[in-house]
Amino acid sequence: MTAEAPDALRVENIAKRFGSVTALQDVSLHLRKGEVLGLIGDNGAGKSTLIKIITGFHRPDAGRIYLDGEEVELKSVSQAQRLGIQTVYQDLALVNDMTVYHNMFLNKEITWRPLPLLNNRKMKHLTRRYLDDIGVSIPSIETEVAMLSGGQRQAIAVARAVYSEDARILLLDEPLAAMGAKEGAMILDLVQRLKESGGVSIILIAHNYAHVLEVCDRVNVLQHGRITYDKPAAETSVEELTELMVSEYRRARTGGGG
Amino acid sequence: MTQATVSERIRDVGFLRRLLTRPELAAVAGAVLVFVFFAIVAGDRGFLTFGGTMSYLVVAAQLGIVAVPVALLMINGEFDLSVGSMVGAAGIIIAITVTEFGWPLFAGALLACVFALLVGAFNGWVVIKTGLPSFIVTLAMLFALRGLTIGFSRLITGRTQIGGLGAATEGDPLRVIFAGEIAGIPVAVFWWLGLAVLGTYVLQRTVFGNWIFGVGGDKVAARNVGVPVNRVKVILFMCTALSAALLATIQVMDAGSADVLRGQLLELQAIAASVIGGVLLTGGYGSVVGAVFGALIFGMVQQGIFFTGVNTDWFLVFVGAMLLVAVLFNNVIRKRASKG
């Protein structure tokens, strides 16, 4: 092996089946320290399954996972979280009827130790600081998140993952889905700032290739349960990525016709 | 300095909006209205006397003891329809063990509590394992538990009512705790208020309370961030069942007898009290204080009608109408507040 620092995350030969459906055949990918890796692929290519394995939700049928060069067995979401792996889900992990600051600290509540009493003042204070840090404007942290826009909620979910949980590896599952141009830009800025801060390595799943190329260092394509493409973002283009996906579709059509 | 100005953007919400979004607003206002109504209509017939006040407080307390945990469970997104049957079952357990087997009161009450905790845990376990709505699971328990109570009571004693508990527990120190009075106020009232304070404290001020809201608001999201969803649910099912056992102990001590049919309709009254108190049927929203006032309204209406001299047959009409009005009022307020 080389002398450089080990990858923040390395996944080798992961396979996962659900009954007769093979979601992942043989996936290997790596994420360098401080890197933003773009992961693209069609619906059903296995992206979400892969994310759920890395996040401890599913157990893989085969394969190994390494964190900072050390092999780990991820048995649960909370175990993965303790190891610093945080996911911001497509279906947001926010409770609509709860306030912004209670969401920010759900299951990470700050208490007046050793009493199990909630320290609301400190949670509010920290929530304000986190949101100010990432430059997100929220009308009030005491409103329910149901009253906020999709971008604001996504930002809260990201802030929650990065700050309150001490994330080392951040998995962003389509953070720009169903979001306006302005809000999308806000989230991309956020990813950019996280990258510059250097403390966290990020896997970003997205459908919009322009977005991916804007913030990612490297791009991987997942097709039929395998990584089929791995290039630095600087050496590829929206056209190339689009061509890759479309040709797959054409091949599938002509192949399926025979 | 800059820090402060940046934070200005993220300011606190107004006092009025916060007041209007309190879930218990309708219940508190309703309780005041009902009190004023009966004070005017039946004020000169004893409603306002100490005895009159105690009569509705005891009714409210008996319902409220169960309504507090039921409200917590509903905020958590689940129902427990078996609490009424649990009251009957726990009462019979105490009566049989004390009068038939000659156990001391504490042992009978302890067995009732242990049994209740097991039933509650079973309810929660079935809900989690089967994925069936708790409405159905605990409805099944409502029937099964009542049937078991009637069956075992008749099998062991040959009767469905068991008396003689007054004589059998004469001088037992536990009587003071469950059936005594403090300054003329029955202890049930203190149990109710104590549980209300405890429930409010747990819901509003503890980590567990935050989880109750989180699980009730969005089970998937709560699970995604690692909240032990199933554990929260099972604990709350155990609490509702335990509160039923506590109420049964109080009732048995108070009446000196147990009846297999005790607690009928209590499950629906507890749900009604919670809903009047602003708890959403879908979970994720509500307060213990609301349920406490919901129970108080129940007590005042039931006893108030008695004081007016109107035939108490009409009591349930009043309850039905009030339930509907309260829920409509809650809806209007909630919609308006969330737009504000």
Side-chain angles (χ1 to χ4, degrees), chain A residues 77 81 89 93-95 97-98 102 107 109 111 116-118 120 128 132 136 138-142 144 147 160, chain B residues 3 6-7 9-13 17 201 205-207 210-211 214 217-218 221 224-227 284 334 338:
Chain A
V77 175
Q81 284 177 350
Y89 285 97
L94 296 180
V95 179
D97 276 329
M98 294 179 89
H102 277 135
N107 198 30
E109 291 86 354
T111 56
L117 269 173
L118 293 177
N120 283 320
R128 284 198 190 92
D132 282 346
V136 181
I138 305 279
S140 160
I141 57 163
E142 287 182 52
E144 293 82 36
M147 295 165 73
R160 191 204 132 88
Chain B
Q3 192 65 38
V6 171
S7 293
R9 273 191 328 216
I10 306 170
R11 67 189 190 285
D12 291 344
V13 279
R17 186 180 169 272
Y201 166 83
R205 287 270 162 251
T206 68
V207 172
N210 211 35
W211 292 356
D218 191 334
N224 276 343
V225 300
V227 174
R334 193 166 147 72
S338 60

Side-chain angles (χ1 to χ4, degrees), chain A residues 36 38-40 47 88-92 149-155 157-158 171-192 202-216:
Chain A
V36 179
L39 184 62
I40 62 177
K47 290 171 298 184
V88 178
Y89 285 97
Q90 208 170 340
D91 38 5
L92 297 175
S149 72
Q152 288 170 325
R153 286 194 279 185
Q154 188 69 259
V158 172
L171 308 172
L172 299 175
D173 193 357
E174 304 216 18
L176 303 168
M179 214 165 282
K182 194 178 148 198
E183 300 203 304
M186 180 177 96
I187 299 296
L188 287 175
D189 278 355
L190 174 54
V191 173
Q192 193 68 43
I202 300 172
I203 296 180
L204 174 79
I205 294 188
H207 274 304
N208 185 319
Y209 308 145
H211 288 157
V212 172
L213 294 178
E214 192 181 328
V215 292
C216 292

Side-chain angles (χ1 to χ4, degrees), chain B residues 300-322:
Chain B
M300 282 198 291
V301 171
Q302 186 173 334
Q303 296 307 105
I305 287 187
F306 169 76
F307 281 111
T308 59
V310 175
N311 191 326
T312 49
D313 293 348
W314 302 101
F315 159 63
L316 291 177
V317 181
F318 204 107
V319 169
M322 209 176 46

Side-chain angles (χ1 to χ4, degrees), chain A residues 43-55:
Chain A
N43 295 322
K47 290 171 298 184
S48 290
T49 305
L50 179 60
I51 290 294
K52 283 185 169 160
I53 285 173
I54 299 173
T55 209

